[in-house]
Amino acid sequence: PPPTGTPDSPTQYLLPGGGLGAAGAPATSTVASAGGTNHDGTPSNPQVFTATGLDLAYTGGQTTFDLSLDAGSAVGNGVQLRVSYDLTGNGGWERVETYRYFATDPVPGYEHYTQQAGLLSATGTLGALVNGTVRVEVWSAIGAHPTTLATGDTSLVRLPYA
């Protein structure tokens, strides 16, 4: 398949329809409620964003991200993110990073969930992306209400690549 991301850019925006790539038109996506169940560390009904055909040199360092989330007036929501790297596009995930969930506040308006939340778990090793695939999963780890995720030109992942 043709590349879906922005192959020469380590900055990938979460796009409507599930892609990663250059900034697009402002949009939103709904992160489904956790249904009152604890899904901390395990994607459940995630919004999935994928880029394929990535050719980037690994520079060291870590993945960074900035997601704009709004749980409205909902209390007790926590949104979580996982970034998976398939370095060669062969379907195997060489590196999987799951970040601690971000507890949203019950005040309408966007908040920023970043890597400052900290890694919950990481497996594997990063290396050069050669026709690689990056998958970003966003889901509700806790909470009984949906959360709005700003997409298109707002929420992004910065890969540790050049």
Side-chain angles (χ1 to χ4, degrees), residues 4 14-15 27 51 55 69 91 99 102 109 117 121 129 140 142 147 153 159 161:
T4 58
L14 282 62
L15 302 174
D55 294 305
L69 301 168
Y99 290 84
F102 176 76
S121 66
L129 283 164
S140 289
I142 59 170
T147 300
D153 65 343
L159 310 176
Y161 287 85

Side-chain angles (χ1 to χ4, degrees), residues 46-94:
Q47 289 290 325
V48 180
F49 303 88
T50 306
T52 60
L54 298 174
D55 294 305
L56 294 164
Y58 179 54
T59 59
Q62 69 172 16
T63 307
T64 62
F65 60 91
D66 185 350
L67 302 186
S68 290
L69 301 168
D70 183 10
S73 58
V75 174
N77 275 13
V79 174
Q80 199 156 24
L81 174 118
R82 173 176 286 171
V83 181
S84 301
Y85 293 87
D86 174 354
L87 301 180
T88 60
N90 67 357
W93 302 104
E94 284 82 13

Side-chain angles (χ1 to χ4, degrees), residues 106-123:
V107 178
Y110 284 99
E111 301 175 77
H112 292 275
Y113 171 29
T114 72
Q115 71 283 350
Q116 296 301 317
L119 268 174
L120 177 67
S121 66
T123 60

Side-chain angles (χ1 to χ4, degrees), residues 34-54:
T37 305
N38 186 325
H39 298 289
D40 187 11
T42 305
S44 176
N45 198 17
Q47 289 290 325
V48 180
F49 303 88
T50 306
T52 60
L54 298 174

